[in-house]
Amino acid sequence: MCGAEKVRHMLMGEQVLKKWKKSKKMTVAFGGILVMSVVIGGCGGREDAKKSIKIGISVYDQYDTFVSEMMKDFNDYATKKEEETGVAINIDTYNASASQSTQNSQVENMITEGCDVICVNLVDRTDPTAIIDLAEKNNIPVIFFNRELVEEDLERWTRLYYVGAQAFESGIMQGELAAEAFLTDQSLDKNGDGIFQYVVLEGEAGHQDAIVRTEYSVSTMIDSGVEVEKLGYAIANWNRAQAQTKMAQLMSQFGDSIELVIANNDDMALGAIDALKASDLTKDEWPAVIGIDGTDVGLEAVKNKEMIGTVYNDKEGQADAMLNLAYELSTGGDLSDLNLIDGKYIRLPYARVTCDDVDSYMEGDTE
């Protein structure tokens, strides 16, 4: 990436993200079984306009912290949309439990149940074919979100969309946070050799977002003038408990030589912190830990200085954008005001978060 392009993306990510007020309601599906949220709207709108719409959602894993928080926001914004428009918004939410075949069946069921639009958080980003074929056959638009499918698949039909962010931007910002910390805090260079020794907790084996986040994080540190040495890595599948186990294994292998933990998301960063808390190390002896997502618990860890920073993935903005897109598609509305890129994409910027500005991103804070 050229310097100008890199700076452009960095500036995009540094935009101040508006923190929306959020209520505490959420529609949750357990064990792949449907839980239906039916919200009754008022009697407004034109005589020939729809009085209600039905949105189907399938998430890859209900226990993913970022996804569950985004779904809570989505339901909150749907309630507000009802109040604004007088149109009842019915939301059916399914948990795919990390099974692509289960998710395919869920989409088929949503079509049978008469959903106007389907939102899919793909289990396998490389295998959306069954979902796309079902949707096209029945002329039901699909909004993919958070786990981006291959561009060629999104181009297969005109009524396919994606809402999310650019994975490489989060990697760049994570690398910037790490580099700035190392260059300004000599205590992080525990052995005094001028090299940042690190380990990586990766999301999924072969997952594009995990690969891109790691590559850009490391390359950005190097581009910032930090010499680095990779000690080891482990696949923790975006999961806090797995990350704790993997981090404990890395610590047994490398001991206090670890100076930095790069985690592809906050849940895995928190798992690393759990392992550090269970170790014999004092907090002053901990390596630097950096995550990505800016989940509520991740932000709390930044505030408590257990993580030196995280990269905020705008779940509120993504939930709001997906709700507005789903509403317009369901009601035959105008998409021109939704800032679609290439008629297909809605992308929200990331932002760097440290203890200096974490309060502005935490729940309940407003501009």
Side-chain angles (χ1 to χ4, degrees), residues 116-181:
D116 297 292
V117 63
I118 294 170
C119 303
V120 179
N121 175 224
L122 277 169
V123 173
D124 184 350
R125 62 179 292 274
T126 67
D127 189 22
T129 301
I131 291 173
I132 293 172
D133 289 347
L134 281 167
E136 185 174 10
K137 179 180 178 181
N138 292 276
N139 196 31
I140 306 297
V142 178
I143 304 170
F144 296 98
F145 67 98
N146 180 249
R147 293 161 71 91
E148 186 171 353
L149 67 169
V150 179
E151 181 180 357
E152 289 76 11
D153 287 325
L154 200 68
E155 296 295 333
R156 287 180 50 192
W157 184 41
T158 56
R159 306 194 77 192
L160 303 176
Y161 304 88
Y162 178 75
V163 175
Q166 294 274 24
F168 72 87
E169 289 181 1
S170 62
I172 290 173
M173 293 182 188
Q174 188 178 52
E176 290 171 346
L177 288 169
E180 289 173 10

Side-chain angles (χ1 to χ4, degrees), residues 73-110:
D73 292 333
F74 185 88
N75 280 273
D76 292 344
Y77 294 143
T79 300
K80 294 177 182 178
K81 194 76 170 180
E82 285 186 314
E83 296 169 354
E84 294 170 0
T85 64
V87 175
I89 302 175
N90 308 304
I91 302 172
D92 296 353
T93 302
Y94 294 76
N95 174 32
S97 301
S99 167
Q100 189 59 60
S101 61
T102 296
Q103 189 167 69
N104 295 344
S105 297
Q106 290 171 348
V107 169
E108 186 173 12
N109 189 66
M110 292 180 212

Side-chain angles (χ1 to χ4, degrees), residues 263-285:
N264 285 164
N265 74 344
D266 282 353
D267 272 1
M268 293 189 294
L270 292 165
I273 291 169
D274 293 338
L276 290 166
K277 288 179 177 179
S279 73
D280 295 329
L281 296 176
T282 66
K283 191 172 181 181
D284 290 339
E285 296 173 322

Side-chain angles (χ1 to χ4, degrees), residues 316-351:
E316 296 87 7
Q318 291 178 35
D320 188 47
M322 187 167 76
L323 186 278
N324 288 329
L325 178 57
Y327 179 86
E328 297 300 337
L329 290 170
S330 298
T331 59
D334 185 5
L335 305 185
S336 61
D337 293 332
L338 299 182
N339 299 317
L340 286 168
I341 301 169
D342 298 327
K344 292 274 189 182
Y345 295 89
I346 298 178
R347 297 198 184 277
L348 282 295
Y350 288 98

Side-chain angles (χ1 to χ4, degrees), residues 283-320:
K283 191 172 181 181
D284 290 339
E285 296 173 322
W286 286 11
V289 180
I290 307 180
I292 293 174
D293 276 342
T295 60
D296 294 344
V297 284
L299 293 172
E300 190 66 36
V302 173
K303 184 174 178 128
N304 295 337
K305 298 185 178 181
E306 295 173 338
M307 289 167 56
I308 67 169
T310 187
V311 179
Y312 194 80
N313 194 0
D314 187 8
K315 55 186 176 293
E316 296 87 7
Q318 291 178 35
D320 188 47

Side-chain angles (χ1 to χ4, degrees), residues 166-169 171 207-217:
Q166 294 274 24
F168 72 87
E169 289 181 1
H207 193 284
Q208 183 68 9
D209 282 2
I211 294 169
V212 168
R213 286 178 175 183
T214 301
E215 287 183 353
Y216 275 87
S217 181

